[in-house]
Amino acid sequence: MATSTTAPGPARPDRRAPGAGSPASGSARRPRRPRRSLLPYLLLVPAIVLELAIHVIPMVVGVWMSLLELTQFHIRDWSTAPFVGLENYRATLDFDSAAGRELLHSFWVTLVYTLLSVGLAWLLGMAGAVVLQRPFRGRAILRALFLTPYALPVYTAVITWSFLLQRDTGLVNHVLVDQLGLLDDRPFWLIGDNSFWSLLVVSVWRNWPFAFLCLMAGLQNVPGEMYEAAAIDGAGFWRRLRSVTLPMLRPVNLVLLLVLFLWTFNDFNTPFVLFGGSAPEQADLISIHIYRSSFKTWDFGSGSAMSVALLLFLLVVSAGYLLITNRRRDHA
């Protein structure tokens, strides 16, 4: 009787369920919690220190100064300045007094100036962004030229405008009077009623490239198919602008208008460089008014009170603007 033998094959791996028959089969292993690294917090330390040194600490010091009678007699040693509490605020916001009326006049001038500047800057930026949206020869050169006012340092740009607006030697009067003959006499652009419009022109010239840059970036995210569909439906240019472009740019416009408002309302460099630190009454912005009240009359207590009141006003405006826009977005 023949017998056959087979070589033993390789051992098969155990295919039982993991943990079966083992003492730890009923308990699952708990994942180890990753250790929290201190590196992100260490990287935040320089930013926190600079924020405290540049913004928070000066803000607290300014609030404290507004509660003191800090004049030229006490500026050398603040400890001798008497504490007056809210007296500086009462004197500053008393619109029946001469100081209060001057502050109120400066506030209205600043508000009108800000609204006109922001509106015109947005309008020019929107027009430039829409015109340069379609590709054509020389578009890159025009984009670079449009951004030139925003790239120039503020002092260089405004000093150039101050030379252009000089009465006798300025280029503006030379063109308007000598070249074109539009005016019979050379007007003063930096004093009197014309000072407000000169300041407005310089502000719009400086701010509109920023609006153009933001709106041009926002238009890059608008799908071209939407314009094609609107054109097929028979929508003209203004219909496409109203029904496609503006709704798609709404998130950009919400932020852009708020930033432009805050920048323009707080603008100090433009009027200071243009008028030399003593703006005419027609162009007396609140930033220049606070500067003159603080550093011309050496009444730092009142100047600090005006600054704190301005800060509170801008905080209220910003909070109200964000609240209204968020509610409209939620209901949309």
Side-chain angles (χ1 to χ4, degrees):
M1 181 176 180
T3 61
S4 63
T5 60
T6 58
R12 295 183 178 179
D14 189 5
R15 297 184 179 275
R16 291 178 299 176
S22 61
S25 59
S27 60
R29 292 183 179 180
R30 295 181 180 178
R32 293 182 179 179
R33 293 183 179 179
R35 295 182 179 179
R36 291 185 178 180
S37 176
L38 296 178
L39 181 59
Y41 301 98
L42 293 177
L43 295 177
L44 288 175
V45 169
I48 295 175
V49 171
L50 291 176
E51 183 70 20
L52 290 174
I54 297 175
H55 291 113
V56 178
I57 294 178
M59 188 183 304
V60 174
V61 173
V63 174
W64 173 247
M65 288 172 58
S66 67
L67 304 177
L68 303 176
E69 190 180 351
L70 190 59
T71 60
Q72 58 181 342
F73 304 105
H74 308 285
I75 191 63
R76 193 168 187 176
D77 187 4
W78 289 19
S79 61
T80 60
F83 181 83
V84 294
L86 299 178
E87 188 61 31
N88 288 327
Y89 294 93
R90 296 192 187 96
T92 300
L93 300 178
D94 183 11
F95 300 128
D96 294 330
S97 63
R101 288 193 297 269
E102 291 179 359
L103 179 62
L104 185 61
H105 168 77
S106 179
F107 172 80
W108 286 116
V109 170
T110 307
L111 184 61
V112 174
Y113 159 78
T114 301
L115 294 178
L116 290 177
S117 178
V118 171
L120 292 174
W122 180 87
L123 187 62
L124 291 176
M126 188 68 191
V130 171
V131 169
L132 297 184
Q133 183 65 18
R134 293 184 177 181
F136 59 88
R137 182 176 297 179
R139 183 178 66 166
I141 298 177
L142 286 178
R143 284 180 174 179
L145 290 177
F146 286 172
L147 293 177
T148 300
Y150 184 66
L152 284 176
V154 57
Y155 283 90
T156 303
V158 180
I159 286 176
T160 303
W161 272 103
S162 67
F163 282 111
L164 294 176
L165 295 172
Q166 294 296 321
R167 179 180 184 270
D168 298 324
T169 59
L171 181 62
V172 174
N173 279 340
H174 176 69
V175 172
L176 294 179
V177 178
D178 300 333
Q179 300 293 329
L180 301 178
L182 297 178
L183 300 175
D184 297 330
D185 193 12
R186 297 176 179 270
F188 290 94
W189 295 107
L190 298 179
I191 59 176
D193 295 335
N194 292 330
S195 60
F196 176 83
W197 302 109
S198 300
L199 178 63
L200 180 63
V201 168
V202 177
S203 176
V204 172
W205 182 81
R206 287 191 57 243
N207 289 335
W208 86 267
F210 177 75
F212 164 73
L213 182 64
C214 295
L215 294 171
M216 185 176 60
L219 286 176
Q220 302 298 322
N221 297 323
V222 180
E225 294 80 5
M226 299 185 66
Y227 291 109
E228 295 176 0
I232 293 174
D233 292 340
F237 171 78
W238 296 108
R239 180 67 178 178
R240 293 196 302 268
L241 179 66
R242 186 173 65 253
S243 302
V244 178
T245 304
L246 291 180
M248 295 298 294
L249 288 179
R250 187 172 182 272
V252 177
N253 284 324
L254 292 180
V255 179
L256 175 62
L257 292 176
L258 179 60
V259 171
L260 286 177
F261 181 87
L262 296 177
W263 281 2
T264 309
F265 204 96
N266 279 321
D267 190 14
F268 173 79
N269 294 328
T270 302
F272 180 80
V273 178
L274 190 63
F275 300 117
S278 56
E281 181 182 359
Q282 293 81 357
D284 185 24
L285 300 187
I286 197 167
S287 57
I288 294 294
H289 186 82
I290 294 174
Y291 166 79
R292 188 170 60 248
S293 301
S294 300
F295 293 94
K296 296 293 185 179
T297 62
W298 294 89
D299 191 356
F300 293 95
S302 298
S304 300
M306 295 179 190
S307 300
V308 174
L310 175 62
L311 173 63
L312 295 177
F313 169 76
L314 293 178
L315 287 177
V316 171
V317 170
S318 301
Y321 177 82
L322 294 175
L323 182 62
I324 294 174
T325 54
N326 288 335
R327 283 185 176 179
R328 289 182 177 178
R329 183 177 58 186
D330 295 339
H331 291 301

